[in-house]
Amino acid sequence: HDAHLCRLSLRGWIFVILFMPCFAVLAEVDDFSCGSLQNGYGPYDYRTDKDKVGVVEAYHFTPEVANLISGKSGHIGGDLDYTLRAFPNHARALMAMVQLGEREKKTKVLGARYSVECYLHRATRFRTDDATAKMIYANYLVKNGRSKDALKQLNDAASLNDSNTSLDYNIALVYLDLKQF
């Protein structure tokens, strides 16, 4: 009886060791773990609330932050975090966050509140009709070997896009990366 319990316990540990990392990655990007969209300033839609973006870009998404040279109020990741909490679908800030994660080789960059993927999830959760945010997310997923998830985001982006040739071009590039000719 005791040997049987040890065997079950060993199997349980093997399950935890082998499969829990997968669950941790999946759990990382959901509405709960990626935080509330409510914010002291915002959230605002980057596409339509242009009158509110100036103050955030002047103090947090400066050219130095956008080009990943230096932070304005601390770490670059902190300034990107503030920008993306105020404007979750700020396309240039999303791309900068992805590039910073790649440069640091981290899923969560220094100074950021959430993982890089969480910011992408938050953007698509905030405005489900934002084709650009979905395309950026799809590109991120392709680069991280998650073709199936990328294809879903990309198909959503393509279906939402209404004759924006620049976006069409970028969507096509991601389809090429997926070898979806």
Side-chain angles (χ1 to χ4, degrees):
H1 187 302
D2 287 349
H4 182 67
L5 286 176
C6 286
R7 198 173 325 122
L8 287 175
S9 180
L10 179 60
R11 285 183 189 155
W13 280 110
I14 290 171
F15 176 82
V16 168
I17 291 168
L18 292 177
F19 296 105
M20 285 310 288
C22 297
F23 293 131
V25 169
L26 290 175
E28 182 180 331
V29 266
D30 62 23
D31 292 356
F32 178 76
S33 62
C34 291
S36 169
L37 292 170
Q38 295 307 308
N39 194 43
Y41 188 74
Y44 299 111
D45 189 333
Y46 182 68
R47 300 167 301 168
T48 58
D49 294 318
K50 296 294 185 185
D51 60 318
K52 295 174 178 63
V53 77
V55 68
V56 172
E57 289 186 345
Y59 293 100
H60 295 283
F61 195 66
T62 62
E64 294 79 18
V65 171
N67 291 304
L68 307 180
I69 296 167
S70 65
K72 176 74 173 172
S73 63
H75 296 289
I76 298 169
D79 283 312
L80 291 173
D81 167 79
Y82 186 91
T83 303
L84 291 170
R85 282 184 297 114
F87 292 89
N89 62 336
H90 191 299
R92 291 183 313 127
L94 285 168
M95 290 188 297
M97 182 63 84
V98 169
Q99 291 168 345
L100 185 60
E102 291 170 354
R103 184 172 86 183
E104 290 186 4
K105 294 181 177 41
K106 293 183 177 179
T107 57
K108 182 179 178 191
V109 301
L110 186 63
R113 186 174 295 199
Y114 306 109
S115 70
V116 172
E117 187 172 358
C118 268
Y119 290 102
L120 296 163
H121 175 78
R122 289 165 57 86
T124 58
R125 183 174 98 203
F126 174 63
R127 291 293 182 253
T128 58
D129 66 336
D130 191 332
T132 301
K134 289 179 180 290
M135 185 272 306
I136 295 168
Y137 197 176
N139 193 43
Y140 171 85
L141 293 167
V142 168
K143 288 179 180 178
N144 285 281
R146 293 176 44 206
S147 299
K148 184 179 175 185
D149 295 330
L151 197 54
K152 184 198 178 321
Q153 290 292 332
L154 202 55
N155 288 338
D156 288 351
S159 71
L160 290 169
N161 186 25
D162 47 337
S163 69
N164 177 334
T165 53
S166 177
L167 185 57
D168 283 338
Y169 174 77
N170 286 296
I171 289 172
L173 290 176
V174 181
Y175 274 124
L176 284 173
D177 286 344
L178 286 168
K179 298 184 183 1
Q180 295 287 317
F181 310 111

